[in-house]
Amino acid sequence: MDEPYDVDDDRMDFADPGGRSALRAASRSNPRNLPCPTCGAKNRLTPKDRALGYQCDECADRAEGRGPEW
């Protein structure tokens, strides 16, 4: 039998649960040690972020037309 879906448990995977960021939380097994593929800024992504094809939050905001005031 499948376990019931737990929204709170799923949110724990995110760096900013409930926020706009899709980036995954950093941990020992998933360190934030990779550059953004768009801007090249160091230490912006985790291996999970890279595997999912993500870019840093700042680049994602720019691509979505959002400024720093959001």
Side-chain angles (χ1 to χ4, degrees):
M1 185 166 139
D2 290 335
E3 293 291 321
Y5 178 70
D6 185 347
V7 174
D8 290 329
D9 187 46
D10 187 45
R11 287 183 182 161
M12 296 307 290
D13 287 343
F14 292 95
D16 182 21
R20 287 192 342 263
S21 178
L23 297 180
R24 297 312 196 244
S27 66
R28 273 190 182 164
S29 63
N30 191 45
R32 191 165 310 285
N33 62 355
L34 300 171
C36 173
T38 305
C39 69
K42 294 180 180 182
N43 302 321
R44 294 295 177 99
L45 302 181
T46 68
K48 284 185 182 180
D49 297 326
R50 177 182 277 174
L52 292 166
Y54 292 157
Q55 58 189 348
C56 73
D57 288 334
E58 291 80 8
C59 288
D61 285 345
R62 276 193 299 278
E64 295 171 0
R66 293 184 176 154
E69 69 279 355
W70 282 75

